[in-house]
Amino acid sequence: MEKNSWHLSKSVPVSLILALVIQAAAIVWTVSQMQSSIEANATNLIRLETRTEKLEMAVQGQAVALARIDENIKAIRTHVERIASKD
């Protein structure tokens, strides 16, 4: 029995082989660029998550401060109303 091994026919143009090699190289380059972009986006996402957490903490602190200011204003108003009603 003869083994039928793979071989390249002489009827396949060199330009086709060259085009396939160039296309494969372009695919590898594109995937490499996509991977680089994905890594950059992941880094930016981590940075933005950290920044968002800091902003959320700042907003929470401001909400607490605003509530305290509001309570102080209510207490001052109550005292001013008492003083005004005594006169």
Side-chain angles (χ1 to χ4, degrees):
M1 255 195 208
E2 280 185 35
K3 278 189 168 179
N4 288 337
S5 62
W6 185 89
H7 65 279
L8 186 59
S9 171
K10 291 182 181 181
S11 65
V12 177
V14 174
S15 59
L16 176 64
I17 295 171
L18 183 62
L20 290 173
V21 168
I22 291 172
Q23 186 177 20
I27 290 170
V28 169
W29 179 79
T30 302
V31 169
S32 172
Q33 292 296 318
M34 288 173 55
Q35 182 65 30
S36 175
S37 179
I38 289 168
E39 288 173 4
N41 286 341
T43 302
N44 286 337
L45 183 61
I46 291 169
R47 183 181 55 82
L48 288 173
E49 285 176 350
T50 303
R51 186 174 176 201
T52 301
E53 287 174 3
K54 288 179 182 177
L55 287 172
E56 286 174 347
M57 290 177 68
V59 167
Q60 184 180 11
Q62 289 175 352
V64 170
L66 184 60
R68 288 180 182 161
I69 290 169
D70 191 39
E71 288 301 316
N72 286 337
I73 290 172
K74 286 179 185 177
I76 292 170
R77 181 179 293 145
T78 302
H79 290 309
V80 168
E81 287 174 355
R82 279 190 213 155
I83 292 171
S85 66
K86 287 183 181 179
D87 290 339

